């Protein structure tokens, strides 16, 4: 979750009655509606929630923080969309509504294959924060129709909060301790809880003091296990932690920690000389927040999606009927950089790469650009339109950085925090750098093609960028299928 205002339930009866209002539809001429990114049909969206993959039917389920009554943050519900390809999304009715316990903040969902909770074998169990005026608590709901409708557990809440910020449960089955494990954001630390049945939770440990960035409240944690092959197989855990504010370029961002998990305690791995306590960032743009992975992804993959915005200006970006959208799907993996440091890599998922259509000489308003840049010299990449609006990217081989400057990208007037230049370390020195640009109506996602870094930034040009200039390399432009 993410908004620091607690939504007080003035009257549960009034609030529930208001939920019968019909959300507005979106206009067909909305200029910033994305071609291949998920966005709500109308109104407000923030954190992705409860994502899971239904392997029997080949369906990806995405829930999300949703205000069905306006385009700014408000009484939170769980919206719902599904996809068979992670590119085209079908909207479904809201699955979780506020009740007398509180509004429905962020959380996760699992497939209870062993029927530990007693709701039925393979029941989908959602674990989420309910927020009210006097506090935040964790509740559960279950689905026996594959995730399309949910019934709230009559014994809610299952975990009572003892502090003001006590939210965003991410749950997984831990083979080491043979129980469910919950990572929970608690102000500026992460607490871990264990349960045999998703109903009864026991405190295990806490993590975070004096580690990482602490410029704002910690949110949306997730503990994931990764395998990496070098000379030998290495198993590590990565703890994702979103923070707002405190990101590297202002506002919200997602940091991570690499370490070990013993079934009770997360211990961060030693860092390189002079780096003790340094922050590591999942993405080096301003607009990738509250990133989560899908539960039960096929073939052991870690498929992630993030909310493509920043709390500095999320409620005032110049879209009309909706706010906001999500990133493309990305696969996460572990690697070591040139200094032997563990890093979390991110590449476009195969489903996202399947967007690439025919090669073209002209820059479409939504397309993919593949850059091949000479590692012996600096490179300058400029996207622009006939109005003179532009996004300038620079590969600096001496500083070993890739940057994106959107200060002249188009409309920046809605927030003094929007115009910015973001910078990513290259992490691995190469003779040739390949960079992928995913361009949509209001966003640019840049990736090191081998996953060493990623950068996600919104842009709002008055007309699409139709010129591409590359100095220090060459480009191939592809249409979108």
């Amino acid at each position: 979750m993410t908004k620091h205002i607690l939504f007080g339930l003035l009257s549960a009866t009034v609030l529930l009655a208001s939920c019968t209002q019909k959300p507005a539809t979106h206009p067909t001429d909305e200029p910033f509606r994305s071609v291949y990114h998920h966005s709500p049909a109308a109104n407000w969206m923030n954190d992705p929630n409860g994502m899971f993959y239904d392997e029997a039917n080949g369906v990806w389920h995405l829930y999300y923080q949703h205000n069905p009554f306006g385009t700014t943050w408000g009484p939170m519900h769980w919206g719902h969309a599904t996809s068979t390809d992670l590119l085209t999304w079908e909207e479904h009715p809201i699955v979780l509504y506020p009740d007398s316990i509180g509004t429905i903040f962020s959380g996760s969902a699992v497939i209870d294959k062993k029927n530990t909770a007693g709701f039925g074998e393979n029941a989908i169990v959602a674990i989420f924060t309910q927020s009210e005026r006097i506090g935040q608590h964790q509740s559960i709901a279950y689905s026996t129709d594959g995730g399309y409708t949910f019934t709230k557990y009559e014994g809610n809440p299952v975990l009572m909060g003892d502090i003001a910020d006590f939210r965003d449960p991410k749950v997984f089955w831990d083979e080491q301790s043979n129980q469910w494990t919950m990572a929970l954001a608690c102000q500026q630390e992460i607490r871990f809880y264990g349960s045999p049945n998703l109903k009864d939770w026991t405190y295990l440990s806490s993590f975070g003091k004096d580690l990482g960035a602490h410029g704002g409240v910690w949110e949306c944690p997730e503990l994931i296990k990764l395998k990496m092959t070098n000379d030998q197989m290495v198993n590590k855990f990565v703890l994702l932690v979103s923070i707002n504010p405190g990101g590297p370029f202002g506002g919200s961002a997602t940091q991570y920690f690499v370490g070990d998990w013993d079934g009770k305690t997360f211990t961060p791995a030693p860092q390189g000389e002079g780096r003790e306590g340094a922050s590591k960032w999942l993405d080096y743009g301003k607009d990738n927040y509250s990133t989560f992975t899908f539960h039960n992804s096929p073939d052991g993959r870690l498929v992630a999606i993030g909310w493509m915005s920043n709390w500095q200006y999320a409620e005032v970006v110049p879209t009309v009927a909706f706010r906001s959208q999500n990133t493309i799907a990305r696969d996460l993996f572990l690697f070591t950089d040139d200094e032997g440091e563990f890093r979390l890599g991110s590449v476009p998922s195969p489903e996202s790469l399947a967007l690439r259509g025919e090669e073209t000489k002209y820059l479409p308003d939504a397309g993919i650009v593949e850059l091949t840049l000479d590692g012996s010299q600096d490179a300058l990449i400029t996207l622009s339109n006939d109005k003179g609006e532009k996004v300038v990217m620079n590969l600096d081989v001496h500083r070993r950085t890739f940057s994106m400057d959107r200060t002249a990208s188009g409309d920046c007037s809605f927030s003094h925090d929007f115009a910015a230049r973001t910078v990513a370390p290259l992490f691995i020195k190469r003779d040739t750098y390949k960079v992928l640009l995913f361009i949509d109506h209001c966003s640019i996602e840049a990736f090191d093609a081998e996953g060493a870094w990623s950068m996600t930034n919104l842009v709002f040009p008055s007309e699409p960028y139709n010129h591409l200039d590359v100095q220090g390399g060459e480009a191939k432009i592809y249409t979108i299928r």
Side-chain angles (χ1 to χ4, degrees), residues 14-313:
V14 172
L15 181 58
L16 290 173
S18 71
C19 294
T20 62
Q21 299 176 24
K22 185 177 181 181
T25 58
H26 63 81
T28 57
D29 61 346
E30 179 123 21
F32 298 125
R33 175 73 68 171
S34 293
V35 173
Y36 56 88
H37 290 84
H38 170 260
S39 60
N43 296 313
W44 172 266
M45 177 187 76
N46 54 288
D47 307 355
N49 293 157
M51 303 186 301
F52 75 93
Y53 178 69
D54 175 2
E55 57 190 332
N57 298 295
V59 176
W60 302 85
H61 286 259
L62 166 66
Y63 307 98
Y64 53 88
Q65 289 284 276
H66 183 47
N67 174 12
F69 312 122
T71 55
T72 57
W73 189 90
M76 287 293 98
H77 301 56
W78 269 24
H80 183 207
T82 59
S83 177
T84 57
D85 58 8
L86 291 171
L87 298 172
T88 54
W89 295 90
E90 180 181 356
E91 291 287 326
H92 298 282
I94 290 169
V95 295
L96 291 174
Y97 289 84
D99 59 26
S100 60
I101 299 176
T103 52
I104 312 298
F105 278 17
S106 290
S108 54
V110 295
I111 303 173
D112 190 6
K113 298 179 180 180
K114 300 179 181 180
N115 192 23
T116 63
F119 300 133
E121 186 177 339
N122 292 319
I124 311 301
V125 181
I127 307 96
F128 49 91
T129 299
Q130 291 202 257
S131 182
E132 59 175 339
R133 184 174 298 163
I134 61 173
Q136 296 180 345
H137 318 293
Q138 315 319 309
S139 294
I140 62 175
Y142 61 93
S143 171
T144 56
D145 64 0
Y148 293 92
T149 61
F150 282 83
T151 301
K152 290 174 184 169
Y153 174 51
E154 60 184 10
N156 283 337
V158 296
L159 182 60
M160 295 290 291
D162 59 357
I163 54 177
D165 293 304
F166 189 81
R167 60 173 180 253
D168 309 343
K170 188 64 167 71
V171 171
F172 71 99
W173 180 261
D174 181 26
E175 298 291 346
Q176 297 180 76
S177 58
N178 196 38
Q179 65 176 346
W180 297 104
T181 296
M182 174 195 296
L184 193 69
C186 300
Q187 295 180 346
Q188 290 201 352
E189 68 175 16
I190 304 302
R191 293 185 192 174
F192 296 102
Y193 293 84
S195 173
N197 57 13
L198 297 167
K199 300 174 181 177
D200 304 301
W201 293 93
T202 302
Y203 172 78
L204 299 175
S205 63
S206 296
F207 169 83
K209 185 177 180 181
D210 300 325
L211 292 171
H214 286 269
V217 69
W218 283 18
E219 303 179 317
C220 300
E222 179 174 9
L223 186 64
I224 51 179
K225 184 178 181 180
L226 297 100
K227 293 182 178 180
M228 180 184 105
T229 302
N230 281 341
D231 295 331
Q232 58 184 355
M233 185 65 74
V234 176
N235 292 310
K236 289 289 180 185
F237 281 80
V238 172
L239 178 62
L240 299 176
V241 178
S242 293
I243 183 172
N244 178 45
F249 307 105
S252 44
T254 300
Q255 61 184 323
Y256 69 90
F257 306 86
V258 182
D260 298 294
W261 172 256
D262 63 5
K264 182 178 180 180
T265 303
F266 178 76
T267 304
Q271 301 192 86
E273 183 178 355
R275 295 186 179 186
E276 196 65 37
S279 298
K280 295 179 178 178
W281 301 101
L282 178 64
D283 189 280
Y284 284 86
K286 281 183 70 81
D287 298 306
N288 185 358
Y289 192 58
S290 63
T291 298
F292 284 119
T293 67
F294 283 87
H295 169 71
N296 200 48
S297 294
D299 304 319
R301 294 164 57 197
L302 289 169
V303 183
I305 283 180
W307 176 49
M308 193 189 287
S309 200
N310 189 305
W311 277 114
Q312 288 181 324
Y313 41 75

